[in-house]
Amino acid sequence: MEKRIFIYTNNTEMSQSIEKTLRKKLLKTDLRVFDEYEADNTDLIICIGGDGTLLRLVQEYNFPKTPIVGINTGHLGFFQEILPEKIDDFIFLYNQGKYSIQSLNGVTAYVKTNGCTKKHTALNEITVKGLMTHPVHLNISINNSFIERFSGDGLCIASPAGSTAYNYALGGSIVDPRLNLLQVTPIAPMQNVAYRSFTSSILLPSNDKLTVIPCSANDTTLTVIYDGMMSEYENVEEISIYLSRKKINLIRFDDYQFWEKVKSKFL
Ligand code: NAP
Ligand code: MN
């Protein structure tokens, strides 16, 4: 049966040349490539690049519901399922329906300033930092109950999908994406008699709300980073962060196993 495909490619020479090869191969199949993405009318998105390219696709198309498969031409390619030399296998397995869907939820932040609220959703993580090199001083609540005062470089709030990205570099834990939780990891927390907070990650169940409130008027200029994209805010009143209901659906072939993938990319 005919399927409608949308291809999203980064601008490296390698990715562009893989796209050409892919298009040639698809001409001999029932998979038709369309140049515009139509949410209700596309069966598959093929993303050519690295993890960063997938993150950009997810932002640009606002967490498309259409299944996505990645061809890795990047450096790491943790999200990406196919190696460029395996395109024929991919076409064969896809046509046979021999794959499963891995659903990955994002993280959403609501940033309240002067009574107006802005929303950002990231697939990997929301990071809250100060301006330039300034440390942050934030009161942290879980479900509106005060937990701690945090002082340090910032906080990284990661989805399970993001647990292997910045979160891991910060000493956070790798989370099997079948566990739906939020991981809150401190970035360079101060530990002295003036400032004290948790030094390890804390894990929150999927429905919980994390709120950060600047400790004083001097602490209200903050940057919110969502999957590497940055917005600067002044006069922040509070930032509430949740595991998002938005998710993406990645295609994984039958030999995919999360911990095997982790092993091959990290050890
Ligand atoms: P980048 O400069 O390419 O560096 C980010 C690295 O993390 C790349 O190797 C990327 O893979 C990899 N990566 C991205 N998402 C991942 C995931 N879910 N699991 C495992 N590895 C992942 O930047 P980018 O490609 O635009 O990625 C943006 C991400 O960079 C942010 O969401 C944040 O997680 C991460 N970051 C990491 C650090 C750090 O480790 N100290 C600092 C800031 C930001 P590819 O090579 O395939 O792109
Ligand atoms: Mn990258």
Side-chain angles (χ1 to χ4, degrees):
M1 213 182 64
E2 194 177 281
K3 295 271 192 266
R4 300 170 72 95
I5 313 289
F6 175 69
I7 303 177
Y8 184 91
T9 309
N10 70 8
N11 54 16
T12 69
E13 230 168 81
M14 180 176 181
S15 299
Q16 299 285 328
S17 117
I18 300 289
E19 179 178 340
K20 268 196 201 136
T21 312
L22 173 71
R23 281 177 181 265
K24 264 194 214 134
K25 288 181 187 285
L26 292 179
L27 284 176
K28 299 186 196 127
T29 70
D30 279 345
L31 310 178
R32 296 273 158 272
V33 179
F34 290 81
D35 287 333
E36 296 288 315
Y37 173 65
E38 286 179 49
D40 299 327
N41 211 2
T42 305
D43 296 296
L44 176 70
I45 298 173
I46 303 177
C47 174
I48 307 175
D51 293 324
T53 313
L54 183 106
L55 295 173
R56 247 84 74 199
L57 159 73
V58 169
Q59 286 294 331
E60 210 169 303
Y61 293 92
N62 192 12
F63 283 73
K65 291 197 179 71
T66 310
I68 305 172
V69 71
I71 301 180
N72 186 29
T73 59
H75 289 113
L76 187 71
F78 199 77
F79 290 124
Q80 309 297 74
E81 180 70 354
I82 308 162
L83 292 173
E85 58 271 25
K86 298 275 184 186
I87 290 178
D88 291 323
D89 301 79
F90 147 67
I91 294 172
F92 177 77
L93 292 170
Y94 180 72
N95 278 327
Q96 300 268 309
K98 284 200 166 48
Y99 59 83
S100 55
I101 297 287
Q102 181 182 47
S103 291
L104 301 172
N105 288 80
V107 191
T108 296
Y110 293 90
V111 185
K112 201 169 147 196
T113 53
N114 301 330
C116 132
T117 303
K118 271 216 71 166
K119 180 180 173 186
H120 298 289
T121 301
L123 180 59
N124 276 344
E125 76 284 292
I126 298 282
T127 307
V128 178
K129 287 191 176 173
L131 195 64
M132 314 288 281
T133 53
H134 285 281
V136 296
H137 301 282
L138 302 169
N139 285 320
I140 296 179
S141 304
I142 297 172
N143 301 330
N144 301 324
S145 115
F146 173 74
I147 300 299
E148 65 168 4
R149 177 186 165 135
F150 173 86
S151 291
D153 283 1
L155 291 171
C156 170
I157 300 100
S159 68
S163 68
T164 45
Y166 191 22
N167 170 74
Y168 185 62
L170 294 168
S173 294
I174 296 178
V175 179
D176 185 318
R178 288 172 299 181
L179 293 167
N180 231 3
L181 52 80
L182 267 189
Q183 181 163 185
V184 186
T185 301
I187 308 172
M190 295 181 196
Q191 294 299 321
N192 53 40
V193 291
Y195 303 112
R196 192 161 297 283
S197 58
F198 293 127
T199 53
S200 74
S201 302
I202 59 172
L203 305 179
L204 307 185
S206 58
N207 290 322
D208 279 13
K209 171 173 80 161
L210 182 91
T211 308
V212 305
I213 296 181
C215 291
S216 78
N218 293 330
D219 307 312
T220 57
T221 302
L222 295 172
T223 53
V224 176
I225 305 151
Y226 44 104
D227 290 345
M229 276 147 285
M230 190 179 88
S231 288
E232 277 177 20
Y233 289 96
E234 283 171 8
N235 305 314
V236 173
E237 288 167 22
E238 63 168 55
I239 305 176
S240 302
I241 300 162
Y242 303 81
L243 194 70
S244 179
R245 267 186 228 115
K246 285 189 182 169
K247 56 184 179 184
I248 61 159
N249 298 301
L250 284 187
I251 288 205
R252 297 298 194 183
F253 293 103
D254 289 351
D255 60 353
Y256 172 87
Q257 277 189 26
F258 176 73
W259 290 106
E260 286 297 324
K261 182 91 177 185
V262 171
K263 205 168 75 183
S264 73
K265 298 291 182 182
F266 288 91
L267 295 180

